[in-house]
Amino acid sequence: MTPPPPQPPPSGPNPAADSAADPRPGPGPLVVLFGATAGALGQDLGSDETDLILLVWQVVEPRSRQVGTLHKSLVRAEAAALSPQCREASGLSADSLARAEPLDKVLQQFSQLVSGDVALLGGGPYTLCTDGQQLLRQVLHPEASRKNLALPDTFFSFYDLRREFHVQHPSTHPARDLTVATMAQDLGLETDATEDDFGVWEVKTMVAVILHLLDGPSGQLFSKPEVVKQKYETGPCSKADVVDSETVVRARGLPWQSSDQDVARFFTGLNIARGGVALCLNAQGRRNGEALIRFVDSEQRDLALQRHKHHMGVRYIEVYKATGEEFVKIAGGTSLEVARFLSREDQVILRLRGLPFSAGPADVLGFLGPECPVTGGADGLLFVRHPDGRPTGDAFALFACEELAQAALRRHKGTLGKRYIELFRSTAAEVQQVLNRYASSPLLPTLTAPLLPIPFPLAAGTGRDCVRLRGLPYTATIEDILSFLGEAAADIRPHGVHMVLNQQGRPSGDAFIQMTSAERALAAAQRCHKKAMKERYVEVVPCSTEEMSHVLMGGTLGRSGMSPPPCKLPSLLPAARVPAAPTPVAYYPGPATQLYMNYTAYYPSPPVSPTTVGYLTTPPAALASAPTSVLSQPGALVRMQGVPYTAGMKDLLSIFQAYQLAPDDYTSLMPVGDPPRTVLQAPKEWVCL
């Protein structure tokens, strides 16, 4: 039950007048605050997401060393069940809590009573003082956010009594390990051991500790309050930034539509660094339900880890430790264009997906309309492009405030031309990730040093010495295919099984098998056609190496014939060969003839079919510095696409092992005097390094 407000003091000395006449250095009024929840207490306060059930407070005037009336108020909890620890320590019951006021009413009473006490003790702005950070950061702010309550401004700054004590007594326990009892014991204060009213003893002892500290020698006490950020600040992150791993956590299980503001609200009460929320994307550029969060210090990170399996709506969120390198990898960027785009502060970012490839800034601004203007007009738009400049259909837009962003989101799935456009909330980290994903270099970039050539043949021609398997189960492996072919598996060429993958790197249900001869291929097709594999019948039809190459290069092969790959190959015809004596030489891909093939149908899988380029001779300087044994035979460099991200050097080398040309076959390789040409035009074999 809340006691009545304190009555004015009797006639006699006026505290306010005495304070004005003989002022003492020190802070303004302090409100010593203690609270408890229905669950865990002490260092684990707020870690179990239970509601607040008790507030106890008392005002202290540091300059006059006077104190106000002590107040205690119960708070009605939505879940009235008390933990055994709380029931034993507090002596409260579910019935007494059911008759208490809800949190919003208690906070109103708190503000009124504190204002009255402060006025009686001399007036002035007051600051809260708590035992540790948990009560405000882990209990009051999260619960107010869940219940959509607006806390007064006084709850966004406070003094941590443990830190203030540690300033004057640094040789004692670490600040986070202190308690009210240990602080009183270290100071040698006598406490009322007969006080059994839960929360009252703690507040009285905290007041005694404060008055003792104010009489000490240190003048730095209660000069720098802790601050709770009221709003999450967006901003860019550079790959050159050094991020402390002790400040980063990973949140898992987020709703896919959640934004950085939703993540910041989940961690409300804790101070997230500027631009410290990085939503993670999957391989298709969509959010995968994970985020990396960077806090201002390690203490905030430790409090964030206590929110493991707290709820965002109906979903519980897992919180784990992460590293600074992981955060920079997701949120960092090096593009000057992105840096300029994100340099505008306090902007709301939206992502537009599905734009026509021909759409420009004027089209996007017209689609959004005058009711939701983009900040800076065309300068507030960022189009995402492939490395060769082709548009991807994605763009980002900046809006000056939340209201304009909400108006733009109403255009979600609106039509621009013949396409509907999706709009989502986005973040600075997502902008960096999307741009990094499309601007990333190939998995096997062009090298600048001679390497050991390891050529292998892939005979071309129209002879139908291959078979195509259609309708494979998506879980089928190479071992399943060999078992399916049975005795015909003995006629497969070494490394002659080619699994065809789709754009997402998953099995497409097709495979090609290179057989030792056309007769063996026909016999395998007749024996295995429409034979069952894992409850599915599989079609087995003969085909040629040329047809197989078309499919692996991105073309299609149907009943009406072959469709070419989705990109047009340059016409680079070789010049006439001129016999020349063998000389040490190595080859590099010619930049002018590099093919960036637009695979829209399939990706090849190991053993990978080459997809590249012309060849230029090694610069003389590099050739002179290379060991003769390395350059004793001609070779070439092949670019491989579709390589798994987890592939290592041993995996790549295993693809090409056993594919060695005999010395006599080297005469079929392109001599030094030939101009650049593509591997696709090689009539006899493929070469790869």
Side-chain angles (χ1 to χ4, degrees):
M1 180 176 181
T2 304
Q7 299 298 321
S11 59
N14 189 337
D18 292 345
S19 176
D22 184 22
R24 300 184 183 184
L30 301 176
V31 180
V32 180
L33 183 64
F34 174 84
T37 66
L41 302 175
Q43 296 282 13
D44 297 329
L45 185 69
S47 62
D48 51 6
E49 212 176 3
T50 52
D51 289 342
L52 186 73
I53 61 170
L54 175 68
L55 280 179
V56 185
W57 69 91
Q58 189 173 23
V59 178
V60 178
E61 171 50 60
R63 290 166 293 187
S64 64
R65 307 297 197 262
Q66 292 190 347
V67 299
T69 305
L70 188 144
H71 302 272
K72 179 178 179 179
S73 181
L74 297 181
V75 184
R76 183 193 306 165
E78 293 183 357
L82 300 176
S83 68
Q85 180 186 10
C86 177
R87 188 182 301 109
E88 180 181 356
S90 65
L92 298 174
S93 64
D95 294 336
S96 60
L97 294 178
R99 297 190 296 268
E101 296 288 345
L103 180 60
D104 56 342
K105 298 293 184 182
V106 172
L107 293 177
Q108 292 178 8
Q109 292 179 5
F110 172 84
S111 299
Q112 295 171 1
L113 294 173
V114 168
S115 298
D117 287 351
V118 170
L120 291 174
L121 296 178
Y126 61 88
T127 308
L128 302 179
C129 181
T130 62
D131 173 32
Q133 311 234 351
Q134 284 83 355
L135 176 59
L136 285 177
R137 295 192 184 275
Q138 297 286 75
V139 178
L140 273 170
H141 281 279
E143 184 171 346
S145 177
R146 292 195 301 268
K147 297 179 178 179
N148 293 318
L149 301 179
L151 290 174
D153 292 341
T154 54
F155 286 89
F156 289 88
S157 63
F158 66 98
Y159 290 110
D160 183 355
L161 183 56
R162 300 182 186 182
R163 287 191 175 181
E164 302 300 328
F165 180 88
H166 197 262
V167 169
Q168 197 173 90
H169 301 273
S171 60
T172 57
H173 309 282
R176 65 176 61 189
D177 296 335
L178 291 171
T179 64
V180 176
T182 57
M183 287 187 286
Q185 182 180 359
D186 291 340
L187 296 177
L189 299 178
E190 295 183 1
T191 58
D192 186 3
T194 62
E195 181 63 66
D196 58 355
D197 194 355
F198 183 60
V200 174
W201 181 89
E202 285 80 0
V203 170
K204 287 182 177 180
T205 306
M206 290 169 65
V207 170
V209 171
I210 291 173
L211 294 176
H212 191 281
L213 293 178
L214 291 172
D215 292 333
S218 177
Q220 302 298 322
L221 293 175
F222 303 105
S223 59
K224 187 178 180 181
E226 305 287 331
V227 176
V228 180
K229 288 187 176 181
Q230 299 192 37
K231 183 180 179 181
Y232 166 67
E233 301 174 357
T234 61
C237 173
S238 172
K239 286 190 178 295
D241 292 348
V242 178
V243 178
D244 185 2
S245 295
E246 297 299 318
T247 63
V248 183
V249 301
R250 179 185 295 272
R252 182 179 299 164
L254 300 168
W256 68 268
Q257 71 274 22
S258 59
S259 65
D260 56 345
Q261 297 294 339
D262 297 321
V263 176
R265 186 176 181 182
F266 174 79
F267 290 104
T268 185
L270 305 179
N271 293 344
I272 300 175
R274 182 173 180 267
V277 176
L279 299 173
C280 302
L281 307 180
N282 60 17
Q284 288 74 45
R286 301 177 183 271
R287 296 172 187 173
N288 62 4
E290 294 189 7
L292 293 171
I293 302 93
R294 176 188 179 190
F295 295 92
V296 296
D297 54 44
S298 59
E299 185 173 7
Q300 307 286 314
R301 194 281 302 266
D302 293 340
L303 293 175
L305 291 173
Q306 292 184 359
R307 301 197 185 182
H308 179 60
K309 293 196 174 180
H310 283 204
H311 288 78
M312 178 185 291
V314 297
R315 297 176 64 102
Y316 72 84
I317 309 300
E318 300 175 353
V319 183
Y320 304 98
K321 292 181 180 180
T323 65
E325 290 78 6
E326 291 176 320
F327 181 85
V328 172
K329 182 178 179 181
I330 295 297
T334 57
S335 171
L336 294 178
E337 182 183 14
V338 176
R340 286 194 297 268
F341 177 76
L342 298 175
S343 61
R344 299 179 177 88
E345 297 184 1
D346 300 326
Q347 299 290 315
V348 182
I349 306 175
L350 296 186
R351 180 179 180 183
L352 293 83
R353 192 165 61 198
L355 294 170
F357 294 149
S358 60
D363 301 313
V364 176
L365 295 176
F367 167 76
L368 295 173
E371 63 275 6
C372 44
V374 176
T375 301
D379 293 336
L381 295 174
L382 178 64
F383 289 87
V384 184
R385 301 183 183 277
H386 290 284
D388 58 359
R390 292 178 295 110
T392 64
D394 281 24
F396 295 92
L398 296 176
F399 296 90
C401 61
E402 187 67 30
E403 290 72 19
L404 294 178
Q406 288 288 351
L409 287 172
R410 298 190 190 102
R411 298 285 295 154
H412 179 58
K413 293 196 174 181
T415 303
L416 177 58
K418 296 182 179 180
R419 297 179 64 93
Y420 73 88
I421 311 302
E422 298 175 294
L423 284 90
F424 306 95
R425 291 182 178 274
S426 188
T427 66
E430 184 173 359
V431 176
Q432 300 278 24
Q433 286 184 81
V434 173
L435 268 294
N436 290 344
R437 184 179 302 277
Y438 284 105
S440 60
S441 58
L443 292 176
L444 295 182
T446 300
L447 303 179
T448 57
L451 298 175
L452 178 66
I454 309 176
F456 70 92
L458 181 62
T462 57
R464 307 180 71 80
D465 57 350
C466 301
V467 292
R468 181 184 184 185
L469 279 64
R470 292 187 299 202
L472 292 170
Y474 295 135
T475 57
T477 63
I478 292 180
E479 289 74 14
D480 296 328
I481 293 177
L482 297 178
S483 176
F484 170 80
L485 293 176
E487 296 179 357
D491 300 322
I492 299 177
R493 292 185 181 182
H495 287 248
V497 179
H498 299 257
M499 302 286 290
V500 182
L501 309 180
N502 61 18
Q503 284 183 316
Q504 287 73 42
R506 299 172 182 171
S508 65
D510 281 24
F512 286 92
I513 312 295
Q514 291 179 275
M515 310 299 289
T516 55
S517 64
E519 292 76 13
R520 296 295 184 183
L522 179 61
Q526 292 175 343
R527 185 182 303 113
C528 301
H529 183 57
K530 291 193 175 182
K531 182 179 174 182
M533 178 190 294
K534 296 183 179 180
E535 300 181 354
R536 296 192 59 168
Y537 76 86
V538 179
E539 298 180 1
V540 183
V541 294
C543 68
S544 66
T545 305
E546 180 184 6
E547 293 171 334
M548 178 189 71
S549 300
H550 268 73
V551 174
L552 293 180
M553 294 301 297
T556 57
L557 179 61
R559 290 181 173 84
S560 59
M562 294 186 298
S563 298
C567 66
K568 185 178 180 180
L569 301 179
S571 178
L572 299 174
L573 298 178
R577 296 174 180 247
V578 178
T583 56
V585 65
Y587 294 93
Y588 291 95
T593 59
Q594 179 74 35
L595 301 183
Y596 290 98
M597 305 196 68
N598 179 21
Y599 289 101
T600 58
Y602 300 106
Y603 281 111
S605 67
V608 177
S609 297
T611 65
T612 176
V613 302
Y615 299 97
L616 302 177
T617 57
T618 308
L623 185 63
S625 62
T628 305
S629 59
V630 174
L631 303 173
S632 59
Q633 48 187 330
L637 179 70
V638 169
R639 177 170 176 252
M640 299 164 56
Q641 286 188 325
V643 178
Y645 293 119
T646 56
M649 184 64 68
K650 291 183 179 180
D651 301 312
L652 298 180
L653 293 177
S654 66
I655 295 173
F656 303 110
Q657 82 177 44
Y659 286 92
Q660 298 284 347
L661 285 178
D664 295 340
D665 290 335
Y666 286 140
T667 56
S668 64
L669 292 174
M670 184 170 49
V672 180
D674 278 359
R677 58 183 292 182
T678 64
V679 174
L680 296 180
Q681 295 167 326
K684 184 175 181 181
E685 65 269 331
W686 302 70
V687 290
C688 179
L689 176 58

